[in-house]
Amino acid sequence: MGKDIMAKRASKNVLRTAREALALSQADIAAKLGITPAAVGHYEKGIAKPPMERARQLARILKIDVADIAVSARAQRGSRKAAREAGERQVSAKERELL
């Protein structure tokens, strides 16, 4: 099985498992993020990848490490630029790995 497929499955399992462990529905997560439940489902299934800031919010809500969430390549490029521009903000070691 390819690495991309395995990464999608691992990401899906982490998101869904964490959400279910907290007894939250996709609608609960969606309401907290200001998105649709379908978008949450897409993140869980690996159909879509959240932007970096949404991944951070999702990690906080689910009480998991942001590094466990697959982030869109476009969002990663944008977050590197944002990190450079916001030099005063502290970036965690895990976030640095993603950047």
Side-chain angles (χ1 to χ4, degrees):
M1 192 175 299
K3 287 183 181 181
D4 289 340
I5 293 171
M6 290 176 65
K8 284 182 183 180
R9 286 187 180 170
S11 176
K12 172 183 73 171
N13 293 337
V14 168
L15 295 177
R16 184 174 180 182
T17 301
R19 178 178 58 78
E20 289 175 345
L22 295 171
L24 295 171
S25 68
Q26 289 180 348
D28 295 332
I29 300 296
K32 291 177 185 222
L33 294 174
I35 60 176
T36 66
V40 175
H42 288 167
Y43 297 156
E44 288 183 359
K45 293 175 186 171
I47 295 169
K49 297 176 185 177
M52 182 59 87
E53 186 53 38
R54 186 160 297 141
R56 286 184 188 118
Q57 294 169 335
L58 190 54
R60 279 191 296 271
I61 292 167
L62 296 176
K63 300 177 181 160
I64 59 174
D65 196 313
V66 71
D68 293 333
I69 301 174
V71 178
S72 71
R74 183 176 186 186
Q76 287 178 356
R77 285 192 302 274
S79 68
R80 279 194 296 266
K81 180 180 176 187
R84 282 192 308 269
E85 291 172 355
E88 72 280 352
R89 183 179 169 272
Q90 294 296 321
V91 178
S92 73
K94 289 289 184 183
E95 288 176 321
R96 255 186 252 111
E97 288 175 17
L98 290 173
L99 299 174

